[in-house]
Amino acid sequence: MADTPKSDLHPATVAAHAGGAADAHTAGVVPGIHTATTFVRDENYDPVNPDNVYLRSHNENVRVAEDLLSKLEGAAETLLFPSGMAAVAAVFRTVPTGASVVVQSQIYWGTTAWIRDFCTRRGIALHEIDASDPISFEIACKVHKPALIWIETPSNPWLRITDVTGAARMAHDVGAKLVVDSTAATPVLSQPLALGADIVMHSATKGINGHSDVLAGSLSTAAPEDDIWKMIVDDRNQAGAVMGPMEAWLLTRGMRTLPLRMREMSRNALKIAEYLQDHPQVEAVLYPGLPDHPGHEIAKRQMTGGYGGLLSFVVKGGGPAALKAVGRLQLFLRATSLGGVESLVEHRHTIEPHTGIPEGLLRLSVGIEDAGDLIADLGQALGQ
Ligand SMILES: *Cc1c(COP(=O)(O)O)cnc(C)c1O
């Protein structure tokens, strides 16, 4: 069982000690892997360990990882899911038929595509808006009276920043729940619950795990007594979208270096953004750490310790020039996903051609390599 460390400890300390999860039975300094699917009852037919009856609801590795994530997020409760999309789906399944939802436009494409399909099938009115524009946001709240509002900040791949404090106030004024997909920030750089969000969601496949070897999702709340949270807990229990012990163990292992990795990735990404901004072959750089980014002032207020490893830039010469540069890169791996220790590059227009992504846009997930090596690779690829 994980102990609760003193609450004044900093995230780097909490993470390094895996939330105090050293194995109580073996005295090992790391948690063991617990794979039992079922647990024994005594002669009076009481569970020998009242915490454990059946794996779909009870697993020590899942609890250790959830507990650590709660501490890093400043949450009262966290639920892990087998993927980020399973966490998205768990939230939207709480919305009744006939209700309306407001969802930020131009966010992670998988979220948008699934929500559109789900809302159509369920008879839920879906309103997609630019949530980084507070006027559109307020109008959408007042006109549509949504049950749920979904935002993503920083957004992927546009790097738009939404003011979580303002969004929470406007949502609560009309009785809506605000859910924030905080994948690109991770709990190290941003804590939306402290800013008023009702639920924070992560694709833990990305920065939280950080090693491109676990698929995982999470939801966290500061208000476990809320009806929406109780519905999500029951649904996970009964519908069974749970994470296996091996993945949860790996996730805990990954999270122990999360603050360290996010610091390094943020530092590298800022250096790369500054380099690209001055590059003659680059039309625009989208990175909230740059002072001229439209969301910079808000990001500075609501993010701590850096702006993350996600960065997009637009190459002069459109699609052909961007694809030529991508083909020449040697360190950046041409692959989707983000938040791993290795740097990745993606030509998003090839993947989602009809969503308004500029043809010259390249999305980088900046890893923890040496910044000079990454900049040299971009330089040779862009022809400078
Ligand atoms: C990857 C991603 C998701 C989906 O998560 P999976 O773990 O791939 O299911 C959701 N939101 C954002 C911002 C993402 O980057």
Side-chain angles (χ1 to χ4, degrees):
M1 257 304 173
D3 303 327
T4 307
K6 291 212 318 264
S7 59
D8 55 353
L9 293 175
H10 294 89
T13 312
V14 173
H17 284 253
D23 193 302
H25 305 293
T26 63
V29 298
V30 295
I33 305 178
H34 303 277
T35 56
T37 56
T38 188
F39 301 86
V40 174
R41 290 171 178 270
D42 66 14
E43 57 277 21
N44 300 315
Y45 216 68
D46 293 322
V48 172
N49 178 340
D51 292 334
N52 291 335
V53 174
Y54 186 61
L55 178 61
R56 185 173 355 99
S57 304
H58 306 129
N59 177 261
E60 187 60 12
N61 294 107
V62 172
R63 280 193 284 250
V64 165
E66 288 178 343
D67 189 49
L68 176 54
L69 204 42
S70 281
K71 283 176 184 140
L72 295 174
E73 193 71 64
E77 253 179 63
T78 293
L79 292 171
L80 283 173
F81 292 83
S83 69
M85 287 313 301
V88 173
V91 171
F92 277 85
R93 279 205 296 266
T94 65
V95 179
T97 297
S100 77
V101 293
V102 166
V103 174
Q104 181 173 344
S105 57
Q106 294 186 312
I107 54 171
Y108 175 71
W109 173 238
T111 304
T112 301
W114 182 82
I115 289 174
R116 283 179 187 169
D117 181 54
F118 179 76
C119 288
T120 306
R121 281 187 280 124
R122 259 294 179 87
I124 294 167
L126 167 64
H127 307 281
E128 295 183 45
I129 58 146
D130 176 4
S132 66
D133 171 9
I135 309 230
S136 313
F137 195 98
E138 184 150 34
I139 291 171
C141 286
K142 290 197 166 138
V143 172
H144 303 304
K145 301 262 187 303
L148 190 82
I149 300 175
W150 185 277
I151 63 173
E152 183 182 290
T153 184
S155 71
N156 170 8
W158 288 90
L159 280 304
R160 295 212 174 96
I161 299 292
T162 298
D163 174 8
V164 177
T165 308
R169 184 174 30 78
M170 290 186 260
H172 295 157
D173 278 352
V174 296
K177 295 290 176 192
L178 179 71
V179 186
V180 180
D181 180 340
S182 191
T183 297
T186 80
V188 173
L189 304 182
S190 176
Q191 299 189 329
L193 297 176
L195 303 174
D198 296 285
I199 294 174
V200 56
M201 175 263 161
H202 291 282
S203 166
T205 311
K206 314 292 169 55
I208 289 179
N209 181 62
H211 295 75
S212 308
D213 54 10
V214 173
L215 194 66
S218 72
L219 299 175
S220 300
T221 186
E225 68 286 355
D226 266 7
D227 284 345
I228 184 171
W229 188 256
K230 288 193 210 145
M231 277 190 264
I232 292 169
V233 170
D234 286 347
D235 188 68
R236 189 186 69 160
N237 248 345
Q238 294 171 8
V242 292
M243 170 175 278
M246 301 282 189
E247 280 79 6
W249 184 87
L250 269 173
L251 190 61
T252 301
R253 183 193 170 113
M255 282 192 284
R256 298 183 74 172
T257 53
L258 175 59
L260 197 67
R261 287 186 280 105
M262 290 316 292
R263 193 162 63 222
E264 201 59 21
M265 286 163 63
S266 297
R267 211 157 30 200
N268 280 353
L270 184 60
K271 282 186 196 157
I272 289 172
E274 285 166 351
Y275 166 77
L276 290 172
Q277 202 173 29
D278 294 335
H279 197 287
Q281 292 306 112
V282 172
E283 208 168 277
V285 180
L286 313 179
Y287 188 64
L290 292 175
D292 64 354
H293 183 280
H296 179 67
E297 286 308 315
I298 296 166
K300 213 160 99 181
R301 264 203 322 269
Q302 74 184 17
M303 297 179 80
T304 47
Y307 301 90
L310 189 63
L311 174 165
S312 293
F313 68 104
V314 183
V315 179
K316 279 186 190 155
L323 283 168
K324 191 168 159 198
V326 160
R328 284 184 180 165
L329 282 166
Q330 297 186 349
L331 275 178
F332 285 83
L333 304 173
R334 290 171 286 275
T336 193
S337 200
L338 59 113
V341 291
E342 66 287 304
S343 294
L344 305 178
V345 61
E346 223 192 357
H347 184 245
R348 283 304 308 176
H349 184 83
T350 302
I351 311 296
E352 40 172 329
H354 307 299
T355 60
I357 305 268
E359 290 189 35
L361 184 140
L362 295 180
R363 192 192 77 188
L364 301 181
S365 170
V366 178
I368 62 165
E369 302 94 331
D370 180 85
D373 289 344
L374 294 173
I375 287 172
D377 192 29
L378 286 164
Q380 65 79 22
L382 288 166
Q384 179 83 355

